Amino acid sequence: MLTTKFSARSFRRFFGTRRLNSTIAEPPPAGGHLPSVATSQLLRSTRDSALRTPGLVFSDEDASNLVGGRETRKMNTYQAVRDAMSLAMSKDDTAVVFGEDVAFGGVFRCTMGLAEEFGKERVFNTPLTEQGIAGFGIGLALMGHTAIAEIQFADYIYPAFDQLVNEAAKIRYRSGGQYNVGGLTIRTPTMSVGHGGLYHSQSPEGFFMAASGLKIVIPRSPIQAKGLLLSSIRDPNPVIFMEPKILYRSAVEQVPIDDFELPLGEAEVLTTGSDLTLLTWGTPVYHCEAALHMLASPPSSLESLIPPSLRSAKIELIDLRSVLPWDVETVTQSVKRTGRLVIVHEAGLTAGVGAEISAEVQKRCFLKLNAPVRRVTGWDIPVALQYEKFHIPDSIRVLDAALVIHPCTTISFPPDGVRVKIIQSAMFVLPPFSAVRRGHSLLKSLPLWNRANVINPSYFLYRQPLLFTSKNNPNIYLVLHVFVWR
């Protein structure tokens, strides 16, 4: 290897006397200027805001649910999960916690100290068998116990799929209502951490969407984790409670120390808006928040890509929370008001949760949609061992989706009979006719498409937006033109 040694004199002669670095400008913070989980405005960092969490209902004997006299404590997500299990076990003598390494605190420390607090008969380890853990929990719940089982990683829940889908989800129906396993809750860490690879970064919630009889819950923060977990444990149906593992320590809130619950099956509107609905759950909630920040105040590197007219767009951000059953009413009411929907989740695109939601929204809101529903998801490939950031739907991809389906401008057409020269054309799948009349930019822009598919002279007598079908595709398309008046 060739090396060169510089003396002080030769260094100055080679590089000059000018300093190589500058202290004129303040260097950016290590995490950048965009909000992160730690600095998120969605987290409730004060006692007052925590006690006024929408939907929060205290479960103690005081039915007034007044916030006066209530206390909170600073917790991260795994501490909130642990607090929820401790409260559940202290009030229910039949409740037991079991799974791989839970007696030692678990790999993420969510069961830390529970064995010492409640005894090894109620908090105990199991063999490394996910099918056995689920089957054992089903048996306990059938016998009237409250079974809180842990699958160490959601990536390994597949061996338990038969027990959960064919047994837990169907026992009430199979027995004609005589038996149920409503006392079963399956806790499992889910989603990516940035370096988990193909066996520690999966989001398998979509595989359970067709399992009628199960509920699937994914919290975004400590308050949500505690309230939703207590509701899941006490719900009369078996629940798969998926905890985004990157949020175990990064999400911190003031959490009420009393026993409280949050409703299952209800989404939460985090920011209200009228131009576009952004729907997500779990970790991507914070990517969406960062995307909204970039849209309103784009960094210098993105300023040229974000039209000024879009920076004041009012986007409604919704945390779905319960994936099964999902809150159809909240989502569809929002979409009918905004006319646009972007769904964000870490699981793959094909047959994901977003596919089911988009199909239902298209059915219920078809005449209100100004653009097709767009999904921003992980890719349909195993999560790579390197560069995991390129797999997950980060803030840049969310921002790009919002820009694509949001109208940049309203086309102002020239009067009838005026000759115009086309300088560029764009083709879009035809939306509801109300959107055609407004001339909005809609879906897949194909600048300067192959003119062999349609007769389109460079000069033409403009009368209306051009509708046509191509030779190879029977669908109707709308063509908008960027034109100059002659």
Side-chain angles (χ1 to χ4, degrees), residues 37-151:
V37 176
T39 60
S40 172
Q41 298 300 308
L42 302 177
L43 296 173
R44 299 179 180 272
S45 57
T46 65
R47 170 188 174 274
D48 188 62
S49 62
L51 293 174
R52 287 177 168 78
T53 299
L56 186 150
V57 177
F58 289 101
S59 305
D60 52 22
E61 296 179 358
D62 182 10
S64 63
N65 280 292
L66 296 176
V67 299
R70 304 281 186 180
E71 297 298 329
T72 63
R73 187 170 72 245
K74 188 177 181 180
M75 300 183 194
N76 58 27
T77 303
Y78 91 78
Q79 291 168 331
V81 168
R82 193 258 182 218
D83 194 42
M85 288 188 285
S86 178
L87 282 169
M89 296 182 73
S90 65
K91 294 189 174 184
D92 182 358
D93 292 336
T94 70
V96 294
V97 173
F98 54 95
E100 299 166 6
D101 300 325
V102 298
F104 311 139
V107 68
F108 293 106
R109 323 315 288 168
C110 292
T111 55
M112 197 75 167
L114 289 181
E116 291 76 13
E117 184 177 354
F118 296 101
K120 295 183 178 180
E121 295 80 12
R122 298 182 63 190
V123 182
F124 50 88
N125 294 331
T126 66
L128 304 182
T129 166
E130 287 76 19
Q131 184 180 17
I133 292 170
F136 180 69
I138 291 170
L140 277 176
L142 279 171
M143 298 303 294
H145 285 267
T146 298
I148 307 171
E150 178 182 301
I151 302 294

Side-chain angles (χ1 to χ4, degrees), residues 353-379:
V353 177
E356 171 60 27
I357 294 175
S358 65
E360 191 67 21
V361 168
Q362 297 270 17
K363 181 182 75 173
R364 292 174 179 247
C365 308
F366 183 75
L367 295 179
K368 296 290 186 179
L369 285 172
N370 293 326
V373 176
R374 188 173 179 88
R375 291 172 287 163
V376 184
T377 70
W379 309 112

